[in-house]
Amino acid sequence: MKVICIGRNYRGHAKELNNPVPDRPIFFMKPQSALLMNNRPFFYPDFSRNIHYELELVIRICRPGKYIPLEHGGSFFDQVALGLDLTARDLQQQCKEKGLPWEIAKCFDGSAPLSPFVATEKTDTRNLAFYLLKNGEKVQESTSKEMIFDFNALISYVSQFMTLKIGDLIFTGTPAGVGPVQIGDHLEGYLNEEKLLHLQIR
Ligand code: ZN
């Protein structure tokens, strides 16, 4: 399975990092070893001094597909979760400045904490509300309708380049409000008022 991550999919977040709003989706990938599940703690790595949280809606692919037409995108996922795209912002900045790939900033072990999935069958996936608490204080909040490219558009676009397979995950981008974590912090992610994700930084 693969983990596909979308960048700059909310206007507010593109702005806060001084990035232009894209005219087509931007994606990168994380390895399976980045996934951190069952609310296990994240251990702050030695190689960064500026790890940021990015709360994201994550969809799970339920049918294989390639060249998926936009209007059929919705039938290729059936579950949604919350994920954190943990990013070593200091390393990412160095990579950006040098035009180098981002892997050291995005793909490290535990850089993709993931909540349990919920079935999308009975939910309106165009209006999923989610937010993140850091030490009990709300730091990010949005809904899926604020995405620049919706789930269908993302599935269609990514599938032009690579075959999507059952179990593949798409982290669909983060809204504004990203910021650093420190040892001792705890993060809680809510989807439609239900607490799905809990992460301790150790
Ligand atoms: Zn992200």
Side-chain angles (χ1 to χ4, degrees):
M1 62 83 83
K2 52 190 176 288
V3 181
I4 296 148
C5 300
I6 308 297
R8 302 175 200 170
N9 202 22
Y10 292 79
R11 277 178 189 82
H13 175 62
K15 246 187 223 164
E16 73 183 347
L17 293 188
N18 292 317
N19 288 316
V21 173
D23 57 7
R24 65 190 66 179
I26 294 168
F27 70 89
F28 57 93
M29 295 175 72
K30 292 194 188 235
Q32 198 169 356
S33 48
L35 291 174
L36 185 63
M37 291 186 286
N38 304 316
N39 294 326
R40 280 204 217 98
F42 173 78
F43 291 93
Y44 204 107
D46 290 335
F47 51 74
S48 175
R49 294 180 168 222
N50 196 21
I51 304 272
H52 275 204
Y53 57 80
E54 296 187 356
L55 183 68
E56 314 203 356
L57 295 166
V58 180
I59 52 175
R60 185 183 179 277
I61 299 298
C62 61
R63 288 165 60 191
K66 189 164 171 64
Y67 304 125
I68 299 165
L70 186 62
E71 63 273 22
H72 294 160
S75 62
F76 284 81
F77 72 99
D78 63 355
Q79 293 179 68
V80 65
L82 290 174
L84 286 162
D85 167 17
L86 295 180
T87 303
R89 199 68 78 199
D90 44 357
L91 299 183
Q92 185 191 33
Q93 192 53 36
Q94 293 166 16
C95 294
K96 277 184 178 176
E97 280 163 15
K98 295 179 183 154
L100 294 172
W102 277 359
E103 273 80 353
I104 58 168
K106 288 281 196 183
C107 300
F108 49 88
D109 287 359
S111 62
L114 183 67
S115 79
F117 278 88
V118 289
T120 54
E121 210 175 25
K122 290 180 192 121
T123 33
D124 178 6
T125 55
R126 289 161 306 180
N127 194 13
L128 296 167
F130 63 107
Y131 62 86
L132 182 69
L133 303 182
K134 180 178 136 180
N135 303 328
E137 191 184 323
K138 198 178 278 185
V139 287
Q140 288 192 287
E141 181 171 34
S142 197
T143 76
S144 54
K145 64 172 185 244
E146 300 297 322
M147 295 191 298
I148 298 169
F149 303 101
D150 66 13
F151 297 135
N152 297 10
L154 296 175
I155 286 172
S156 175
Y157 184 77
V158 172
S159 77
Q160 307 304 307
F161 299 91
M162 46 182 143
T163 302
L164 292 175
K165 297 199 168 177
I166 294 171
D168 286 350
L169 305 177
I170 305 181
F171 279 59
T172 59
T174 195
V178 302
V181 293
Q182 265 148 14
I183 291 171
D185 284 347
H186 63 103
L187 302 173
E188 296 159 282
Y190 287 75
L191 177 66
N192 289 339
E193 292 300 333
E194 188 191 349
K195 182 166 149 183
L196 282 189
L197 185 71
H198 186 210
L199 183 72
Q200 293 277 357
I201 311 292
R202 295 228 179 123

